[in-house]
Amino acid sequence: MAERSVADVVVQRLLAWRVPRAFGYPGEAIAPLVDALDRAGGEPAFIPARHEETASFMATGHAKFTGGIGVCLATQGPSAVQLLNGLYDAKLDSKPVVAIVGEDISGPLGGAHQEIGLSRLFGDVCNQFVRYGRTPQEVGALLDQAFRTAAATRSPTCVVLPRQLQEALVPEPQTYAAGVITATPGEPLARVLPHEVDLDAAAQLLTGGQRVAILVGQGGRDAAPEIIEVADRLGAGVATSLLGKPVLDERLPFHTGVLGEVGTPAAAELMGGCDTLLMVGTNDPWTDYFPMPEQARTVQIDIDGRRIGTRYPADVPLVGDAAETLRALLTRMRGRPEQRWRATVESSVDRWRSVAADRAAAAADPVNPQFVLQELSARMPETGAVAVDVGSVLYWYARHLVLPPGVEAQLCGTLGSMGCALPYAVAAKLAAPDQPVVALVGDGAMQLNGLAELITVAHLWQRWRDPRLVVLVLNNRDQNGMGGGREPSSDPAHRRPDVPYAGWARLLGLHGVRVDRPELVGAAWDEALAADRPCVLEAVVDPAVPLAPPEPAFADLRGLYADGAPARKVREQVELTATAQDLV
């Protein structure tokens, strides 16, 4: 058997864990591993990003879009620090990522060049799983442990490999004996179901409710048929978290849309009028929009028991896989012939959709950003993926883009960091090069890192079977980064520099379209989606268009309740309001 270096062993372990590519920024401390990836002939591939932060976002994007484990590479010191944003994104949105950090420290400890305490640096984001490779014999098992922990805990982990260790030769396999570390790749996933008695209690609670609401998060993926059947059986209305938006077909008449500040009035009304709440795979932080305390009896389903009851009290907690748990509940549920509540929900949805159309059609100077997303909605490819950045574009995405069933969409949901969309889009495109991808970005995020990562797109796109990667840049020139009803400042020092985003794309050999007239928006989308290469669609939009967050239902009662108003009075007001809604 030919001698292998530790770096070669790392590559073999990545293959064993079915990792198709690793994202990173090359440096001396990680050079042996990058060389080993090159020797492997592209399996796994090394994808160089323009910055370590975007590399970590790409790894997290890979985990989000594929359901696999993302891998990012960096060196010690400032390079390692830059990984934190993407790793915290993975931690807060519960995605498995393994960071492999090279270390090349010379000189006395405590004063060496670029020396940073990596255990402390990564300790929080990696839930204390930060391991150092010490000997060639242990590296394979160390990586397996990192991957298995990332998969089991749905969180990032970190392995630190000194450069000298990466270059070291691995001895031949030894006979098993005390002190020999074994290695076994693989991520066996258990079938997780709640106890029968808890399923019985949950079914009894849900069927006993008169006004049932279902809140769906990202944990509801692969459970759409079961969620719809439960909703029909109970006559329930449905809302989703931002991360849960792609789970269900938003054209369903009882789908109220996204809940929260970026969401819809219909979703807020659903929460305000319900007396029973079923939460499916959600850790939605917009608790201001949840039912009032003691308003609704609640069943919560989550694969991670640590999350149950953290956002709203759960009367019946169900720890289990969403689809299988819902199927078990359906065997215990009877149908409800009374559909009065469902009719009320559908009337609320109709009102919201009419309002949304009016908002998108409103005049703006020069273009209404809501109209830009509405025009995409009419042209959205039936397959592919959408990557969404943070800023005002998130509001327009949540309310005005209707995703075709099966089209995946991802965003930095819990951390809320700008600059994620283009790295996500690159990861999505590499995972499915025969599918179109759309990235929705504001001009702030585009200047933050998007302009640089277009270089990555220009470097990679000719390998893709379907070359379509459309980057929408909403150019509102708003220095505050959100737009949302503020009049643009007349002082140039307080406005974001106007960059020729479409022109920059053309300089890189990509396609570029700039639109500043509403009557040309549809044609601009048609051109961008038909281009024979990646395209930047720059839409010059009005920063004064208001974000208009919906009012949380019973916002006035929340203050009273916080001051000690009796729960009975709150419930009475809920019931009176729900009755009034039924009469509308």
Side-chain angles (χ1 to χ4, degrees):
M1 180 181 295
E3 289 186 327
R4 302 172 299 162
S5 70
V6 167
D8 293 321
V9 170
V10 173
V11 171
Q12 291 168 2
R13 300 325 283 174
L14 296 182
L15 282 174
W17 282 91
R18 301 183 299 281
V19 174
R21 61 195 61 88
F23 305 92
Y25 190 89
E28 284 298 314
I30 207 74
L33 178 53
V34 173
D35 291 342
L37 288 166
D38 289 341
R39 287 195 301 273
E43 292 185 14
F46 173 63
I47 307 298
R50 304 309 108 195
H51 195 278
E52 293 89 351
E53 180 185 63
T54 52
S56 63
F57 273 132
M58 289 175 188
T60 299
H62 173 87
K64 289 185 175 186
F65 278 109
T66 69
I69 301 175
V71 174
C72 54
L73 311 178
T75 64
Q76 86 277 359
S79 180
V81 172
Q82 304 294 353
L83 293 180
L84 290 179
N85 215 17
L87 294 180
Y88 269 110
D89 178 21
K91 176 182 180 176
L92 297 184
D93 282 354
S94 300
K95 299 302 174 187
V97 173
V98 175
I100 302 176
V101 179
E103 190 174 59
D104 190 7
I105 298 296
S106 60
L109 292 178
H113 182 58
Q114 293 191 327
E115 182 184 354
I116 285 179
L118 296 177
S119 293
R120 181 170 294 183
L121 179 72
F122 289 108
D124 178 62
V125 70
C126 292
N127 297 317
Q128 305 307 317
F129 190 98
V130 185
R131 301 289 187 271
Y132 280 75
R134 298 301 185 192
T135 66
Q137 295 90 334
E138 70 179 353
V139 169
L142 188 62
L143 283 166
D144 288 344
Q145 187 182 8
F147 275 91
R148 189 169 293 109
T149 301
T153 63
R154 298 171 181 83
S155 64
T157 59
C158 178
V159 174
V160 182
L161 298 177
R163 177 184 172 119
Q164 295 85 348
L165 180 62
Q166 297 172 49
E167 296 171 328
L169 296 180
V170 179
E172 293 297 323
Q174 306 170 43
T175 302
Y176 180 78
V180 175
I181 300 174
T182 62
T184 306
E187 44 177 314
L189 298 178
R191 181 188 183 210
V192 182
L193 274 174
H195 293 293
E196 297 289 323
V197 64
D198 295 323
L199 289 166
D200 292 338
Q204 182 177 0
L205 186 155
L206 292 170
T207 54
Q210 298 301 308
R211 302 183 300 277
V212 182
I214 302 176
L215 179 59
V216 179
Q218 64 172 334
R221 283 185 171 85
D222 303 322
E226 291 81 6
I227 294 169
I228 293 171
E229 188 172 351
V230 168
D232 286 338
R233 191 87 54 98
L234 298 173
V238 174
T240 72
S241 68
L242 257 176
L243 291 172
K245 179 178 167 75
V247 172
L248 298 177
D249 186 348
E250 293 181 285
R251 296 169 296 186
L252 292 167
F254 52 88
H255 193 317
T256 62
V258 171
L259 181 69
E261 182 178 314
V262 303
T264 74
E269 291 167 10
L270 176 70
M271 292 294 118
C274 72
D275 65 5
T276 305
L277 176 62
L278 171 61
M279 300 171 65
V280 181
T282 179
N283 192 36
D284 196 327
W286 298 110
T287 53
D288 283 355
Y289 291 84
F290 277 48
M292 288 290 296
E294 299 190 34
Q295 170 191 325
R297 300 189 69 198
T298 303
V299 173
Q300 185 173 358
I301 301 170
D302 205 292
I303 191 66
D304 188 344
R306 296 171 298 179
R307 300 204 165 181
I308 291 180
T310 59
R311 302 299 186 184
Y312 194 81
D315 295 279
V316 182
L318 298 177
V319 178
D321 299 302
E324 290 216 53
T325 300
L326 289 169
R327 284 196 289 269
L329 283 175
L330 281 165
T331 65
R332 295 163 164 82
M333 285 182 182
R334 63 184 185 275
R336 174 176 292 134
E338 171 58 54
Q339 294 289 308
R340 194 178 181 189
W341 169 244
R342 170 64 73 82
T344 300
V345 172
E346 292 182 0
S347 295
S348 178
V349 171
D350 289 341
R351 287 194 300 273
W352 156 244
R353 289 175 179 171
S354 177
V355 168
D358 291 343
R359 289 182 181 179
D365 181 21
V367 176
N368 186 333
Q370 299 167 106
F371 179 66
V372 177
L373 270 294
Q374 180 179 277
E375 288 294 286
L376 170 61
S377 195
R379 295 166 171 81
M380 189 68 207
E382 294 297 316
T383 60
V386 178
V388 190
D389 223 298
V390 172
S392 60
V393 68
L394 197 57
Y395 288 72
W396 317 139
Y397 156 77
R399 300 170 186 166
H400 296 282
L401 181 60
V402 178
L403 296 169
V407 171
E408 186 60 274
Q410 293 291 349
L411 53 109
C412 187
T414 310
L415 180 63
S417 176
M418 287 177 60
C420 62
L422 200 48
Y424 277 13
V426 170
K429 193 66 183 180
L430 290 169
D434 57 343
Q435 302 286 326
V437 174
V438 177
L440 308 177
V441 186
D443 53 354
M446 201 63 186
Q447 291 188 23
L448 184 70
N449 61 28
L451 292 171
E453 285 309 323
L454 278 181
I455 300 172
T456 304
V457 174
H459 175 65
L460 297 172
W461 76 268
Q462 296 190 46
R463 312 175 196 177
W464 300 335
R465 289 189 291 277
D466 183 331
R468 290 178 294 171
L469 191 163
V470 180
V471 181
L472 170 68
V473 181
L474 292 181
N475 183 4
N476 66 14
R477 307 159 312 283
D478 177 54
Q479 186 64 43
N480 292 311
M482 290 293 286
R486 290 185 295 269
E487 290 295 331
S489 172
S490 59
D491 184 354
H494 294 158
R495 301 191 69 187
R496 180 171 286 117
D498 198 1
V499 173
Y501 303 99
W504 169 239
R506 289 192 291 269
L507 283 174
L508 293 174
L510 308 177
H511 196 61
V513 182
R514 187 177 189 271
V515 60
D516 57 6
R517 292 164 55 189
E519 66 270 20
L520 299 180
V521 170
W525 274 118
D526 291 336
E527 180 179 345
L529 289 167
D532 64 351
R533 63 196 60 209
C535 176
V536 171
L537 172 53
E538 177 187 351
V540 184
V541 297
D542 190 346
V545 173
L547 299 177
E551 184 75 7
F554 310 120
D556 54 339
L557 290 179
R558 290 183 186 276
L560 291 173
Y561 189 84
D563 293 337
R568 179 175 57 81
K569 291 293 185 183
V570 174
R571 285 197 296 270
E572 289 174 358
Q573 184 62 51
V574 169
E575 291 164 2
L576 287 171
T577 304
T579 302
Q581 288 176 336
D582 287 344
L583 296 175
V584 172

